[in-house]
Amino acid sequence: QKNQSVGVLKCLFMSIGAFVQLFSDVLFSHKDTSSYCGDLAFQILRYANVPHGEVRSSATALLYLFIKTNFKERGDFGRMKLQATIAVSRFSGNTKMDQTSLLESSLEAVATRALKEFGENDFASEVQQLAKTLFRVIRDSSKIQEYKDDVQRMCDYMYKIALGYSSDSPDLRVTWLNNLSEYHLLRE
């Protein structure tokens, strides 16, 4: 969570990658570990948005490893899909969303890598769909930054986003409602 040197981060990402491969069943199959998966996804996506190319590339490769390993472990990558979407949603409260072009290019690289490695199959199309969903979340978060000076519009838009996820992703809806409640607490 703290700023680290490039060498430390690359070693950390490799260590996390080895951990994911060794303990994939625990990380992706047990209900009790979803918070760990979510925290790791948040930090990886955070580093997939940094200007330093080596760090961003390592984080992008680690994100792809998470998705691929989750798919191999369970036959789908629902947990990573959910946790990555929630992580990007959390950025709305933690990151200036006008600075997400690097994250978008990292997500595009993940989708391209899946397409190159697996061709036109279910896995690659699901990864591309995940990238589109995350782009949507980024767009929504950018819109929120646009309304940052208009409290009423900001709250209305956050609530509208939360409603948009009611049927297909209740957990994501809760994340946006949590963002809204944190905003209310900040504004007292």
Side-chain angles (χ1 to χ4, degrees):
Q1 291 180 348
K2 298 180 187 255
N3 291 331
Q4 301 293 331
S5 71
V6 173
V8 169
L9 286 171
K10 288 174 69 176
C11 288
L12 179 65
F13 291 152
M14 287 190 305
S15 298
I16 292 171
F19 177 84
V20 167
Q21 291 178 330
L22 286 171
F23 301 104
S24 60
D25 59 329
V26 174
L27 193 59
F28 299 118
S29 296
H30 298 312
K31 291 181 181 183
D32 299 338
T33 59
S34 65
S35 65
Y36 300 123
C37 188
D39 291 339
L40 285 169
F42 178 76
Q43 294 301 329
I44 292 167
L45 285 164
R46 189 180 118 205
Y47 281 105
N49 192 38
V50 298
H52 195 281
E54 284 183 79
V55 173
R56 190 175 62 253
S57 177
S58 295
T60 302
L62 186 57
L63 177 64
Y64 181 72
L65 177 68
F66 262 69
I67 292 169
K68 184 177 164 183
T69 305
N70 186 195
F71 185 78
K72 284 182 178 177
E73 183 66 34
R74 300 193 42 107
D76 66 22
F77 60 95
R79 178 170 283 186
M80 270 311 295
K81 189 184 296 186
L82 175 65
Q83 296 303 331
T85 307
I86 290 172
V88 170
S89 296
R90 284 177 54 194
F91 281 140
S92 69
N94 300 313
T95 304
K96 292 182 178 177
M97 293 311 294
D98 57 342
Q99 302 170 353
T100 58
S101 62
L102 297 172
L103 179 59
E104 290 179 16
S105 68
S106 295
L107 294 171
E108 186 63 37
V110 167
T112 301
R113 187 168 177 185
L115 191 60
K116 283 182 182 177
E117 189 171 334
F118 289 92
E120 295 286 335
N121 70 2
D122 291 341
F123 176 75
S125 64
E126 281 190 55
V127 172
Q128 289 175 331
Q129 185 61 40
L130 172 62
K132 287 178 186 176
T133 300
L134 296 179
F135 291 148
R136 178 180 157 209
V137 172
I138 291 169
R139 186 195 69 232
D140 289 342
S141 297
S142 296
K143 198 71 156 175
I144 284 176
Q145 288 297 320
E146 191 178 304
Y147 295 145
K148 68 183 175 190
D149 296 328
D150 187 346
V151 176
Q152 190 65 37
R153 283 182 83 183
M154 175 94 125
C155 291
D156 287 344
Y157 195 71
M158 286 176 115
Y159 185 68
K160 179 182 170 187
I161 292 169
L163 287 176
Y165 291 111
S166 293
S167 60
D168 39 322
S169 183
D171 290 331
L172 190 54
R173 179 175 185 257
V174 169
T175 300
W176 277 100
L177 291 173
N178 284 335
N179 288 345
L180 178 58
S181 74
E182 287 175 21
Y183 184 74
H184 280 298
L185 287 173
L186 276 170
R187 295 288 182 167
E188 296 179 353

